[in-house]
Amino acid sequence: SSSSAASDVYKRQILELIELGKKAVNFALKSGAQEAEAFLSFSSGTSINIERGQIVKSEKSVDQGLGVRAIYQKAVGFSYTNMLTPKTVQETAIRALKAGKASKADPNWVNLPFPRKYTETVGTYDKKVEELTSDQLVNLASELLKSTTSYDNRVLAVDGGVAKSVFCSIVVNSHGIEVSDIGTAVGCSMETIARDGAEVTPACFEVDTKRFSSIDPVKVGTEAAKRAVDSLGAKKMASGVFPVIFTQSAFRSLLYHTVINAVKADFVLRERSAFKDKLGKQVASELVTVHDDGLLEGGLLTRKFDGEGVACQKTAVIQKGVLQNFLYDNYSANKNQTKSTGNAARSGGESYACSPVLEANNFVFSSGNQSPDELVGEINNGLIVYGVQGAHSSNPESGEFSVVATPVWKIENGAVTVSYTHLRAHETVLELVC
């Protein structure tokens, strides 16, 4: 398990934070709360930053904190602190209770979650990532930068870098939940442009992030540079209806604001989902099978439990085009008289400073039987899209979206052509219905 693989220093820190969590819960209960929850987290990371073709700085960050929810007569109060002492823990618990007493009761509130059986995650903690030194990260950043700038002298490495982090979450509540999970991540990214005379391309991006130490900075730098060079000489293209291939980054942006929001129970209960009355019905092609997998091996959002201490799981969302399940956190599950699917998240860099919200974990489409090259090879006149702008304005109630495709290339006769490289954002808008 990730917790048993952690170093002794982190194990001691976890035990200390669990004790502080217990104190916070007890303070809230003794002060009059009917229920209480403590969410604690800590993180430690190092980043090497690249700007305008230079490695400019190395940053080390350490953060920890506590967020408390106290429930008083169906009203939920929340307070947080990043100063962890017995005194501040008590003060935070009392502030949360006071906030609850000052809040309006929620008639839909039932209770905080109760313990469940937890499954240990796989591929989420790597001791090698924890032990990466600043010098090693600088070497990786140097490889990233060199592979970018040596590809073509017209390429500029605008922004990027390499970073590693170790992070831990802990949940303790008054119903007996007391769990911890620790993980690692390391990644590199590069943003490029290409300049040829007076022509300057839009920004192009490439990234590689993993939970274990196997990133490839040379591949990232080379691909970011190649994409920028291929964007030179962009031509206008007549409007029309085309078959489109979305790469992962473009598809992810569209997916979040359409399908993912549409299967989140809070959108469904507010009747803001195109899928609100479609459980058990065909909503997609029979080729589409989707799972939300909080336990995916090595997944970037894999964790043992969610932001409320509910065990994460693999949830079938769409099976051969048929809608199977919605995603629930504890609140929406209680409201709909069902069980949470382990989809409460504490978003943001300081997770302890946020009360839980409903989010997808690892949203996974089952692979088809064709490679990317085979997909491209089937298209005589189409597009391949590497990024979109404006996806946030999509409508999960209807599934409609209108986005700017950038960068995007033309596919002709089964090959990605250079002659129709980038369709500029102000010239091409894709209007599609999901």
Side-chain angles (χ1 to χ4, degrees):
S1 71
S2 59
S3 297
S4 61
S7 67
D8 290 339
V9 172
Y10 287 125
K11 288 177 182 178
R12 287 194 297 270
Q13 189 171 1
I14 290 171
L15 293 175
E16 291 170 1
L17 292 179
I18 289 174
E19 289 305 311
L20 289 177
K22 290 179 181 179
K23 288 183 190 313
V25 169
N26 290 333
F27 281 137
L29 294 176
K30 288 178 181 178
S31 300
Q34 276 90 50
E35 300 176 277
E37 169 200 84
F39 178 91
L40 303 100
S41 67
F42 71 78
S43 62
S44 174
T46 304
S47 62
I48 312 298
N49 300 325
I50 295 171
E51 295 177 9
R52 298 187 63 81
Q54 299 288 332
I55 296 176
V56 294
K57 59 183 173 181
S58 172
E59 293 182 320
K60 183 173 178 62
S61 61
V62 179
D63 186 42
Q64 64 178 4
L66 159 73
V68 178
R69 284 197 294 172
I71 291 79
Y72 181 80
Q73 295 181 357
K74 287 184 172 286
V76 182
F78 176 75
S79 182
Y80 73 92
T81 181
N82 61 359
M83 300 290 290
L84 296 183
T85 67
K87 182 180 179 182
T88 57
V89 166
Q90 181 175 1
E91 291 172 346
T92 304
I94 292 173
R95 283 199 307 270
L97 177 59
K98 287 181 177 179
K101 288 182 176 180
S103 301
K104 186 178 179 180
D106 182 349
N108 294 311
W109 180 264
V110 179
N111 53 249
L112 291 169
F114 288 82
R116 293 193 199 170
K117 183 179 179 180
Y118 298 97
T119 301
E120 292 294 342
T121 58
V122 178
T124 57
Y125 189 91
D126 186 353
K127 194 74 173 292
K128 292 180 181 177
V129 173
E130 177 190 331
E131 295 172 345
L132 278 172
T133 65
S134 294
D135 287 345
Q136 289 173 313
L137 292 173
V138 168
N139 289 338
L140 290 172
S142 297
E143 291 180 29
L144 173 65
L145 183 58
K146 182 179 179 181
S147 63
T148 304
T149 55
S150 64
Y151 183 84
D152 191 300
N153 59 15
R154 295 172 293 177
V155 175
L156 174 63
V158 177
D159 189 40
V162 178
K164 70 138 189 185
S165 61
V166 179
F167 42 87
C168 177
S169 298
I170 294 164
V171 178
V172 178
N173 78 12
S174 53
H175 296 314
I177 285 179
E178 185 183 310
V179 285
S180 65
D181 188 58
I182 188 168
T184 56
V186 61
C188 61
S189 64
M190 181 56 70
E191 174 187 349
T192 58
I193 60 171
R195 184 191 301 271
D196 192 354
E199 182 185 3
V200 179
T201 68
C204 297
F205 303 87
E206 185 61 24
V207 63
D208 184 16
T209 303
K210 291 185 172 65
R211 302 294 295 270
F212 43 90
S213 57
S214 64
I215 59 169
D216 189 344
V218 173
K219 182 179 179 181
V220 169
T222 302
E223 182 61 28
K226 179 181 183 300
R227 204 168 293 170
V229 171
D230 287 348
S231 295
L232 289 167
K235 297 180 180 180
K236 293 183 179 180
M237 178 180 172
S239 61
V241 178
F242 304 96
V244 177
I245 295 175
F246 290 99
T247 64
Q248 192 216 14
S249 59
F251 187 49
R252 181 178 64 241
S253 298
L254 286 177
L255 197 64
Y256 181 83
H257 297 285
T258 53
V259 177
I260 290 180
N261 277 344
V263 299
K264 286 157 62 174
D266 51 355
F267 277 76
V268 177
L269 293 171
R270 295 198 305 267
E271 298 191 346
R272 292 191 55 211
S273 166
F275 293 158
K276 61 184 179 182
D277 298 315
K278 296 188 176 179
L279 273 179
K281 297 180 180 179
Q282 195 86 20
V283 296
S285 162
E286 291 184 358
L287 298 175
V288 176
T289 293
V290 184
H291 292 86
D292 180 77
D293 193 354
L295 298 173
L296 179 69
E297 182 175 350
L300 294 181
L301 294 178
T302 295
R303 49 200 173 151
K304 188 163 62 175
F305 55 87
D306 71 1
E308 299 175 293
V310 175
C312 286
Q313 63 182 51
K314 182 178 181 179
T315 303
V317 178
I318 297 173
Q319 187 75 32
K320 294 184 177 179
V322 177
L323 183 63
Q324 301 291 323
N325 292 289
F326 296 123
L327 304 180
Y328 292 92
D329 59 4
N330 183 67
Y331 179 84
S332 60
N334 283 337
K335 189 175 180 180
N336 207 43
Q337 298 182 333
T338 187
K339 288 186 176 182
S340 170
T341 53
N343 285 94
R346 309 269 183 158
S347 57
E350 298 171 342
S351 55
Y352 57 83
C354 308
S355 54
V357 294
L358 205 170
E359 290 290 358
N361 293 319
N362 301 297
F363 207 72
V364 181
F365 276 66
S366 295
S367 300
N369 54 12
Q370 290 179 293
S371 68
D373 288 341
E374 288 172 333
L375 288 173
V376 170
E378 290 184 346
I379 297 176
N380 291 323
N381 183 30
L383 305 172
I384 181 167
V385 178
Y386 282 86
V388 296
Q389 296 175 353
H392 64 281
S393 62
S394 304
N395 186 350
E397 295 182 47
S398 64
E400 296 177 350
F401 57 88
S402 177
V403 295
V404 175
T406 174
V408 54
W409 279 266
K410 187 79 184 296
I411 301 174
E412 292 181 314
N413 299 320
V416 179
T417 63
V418 178
S419 58
Y420 287 96
T421 53
H422 187 274
L423 302 183
R424 297 180 189 273
H426 62 274
E427 294 171 351
T428 303
V429 175
L430 301 179
E431 295 183 351
L432 307 169
V433 176
C434 179

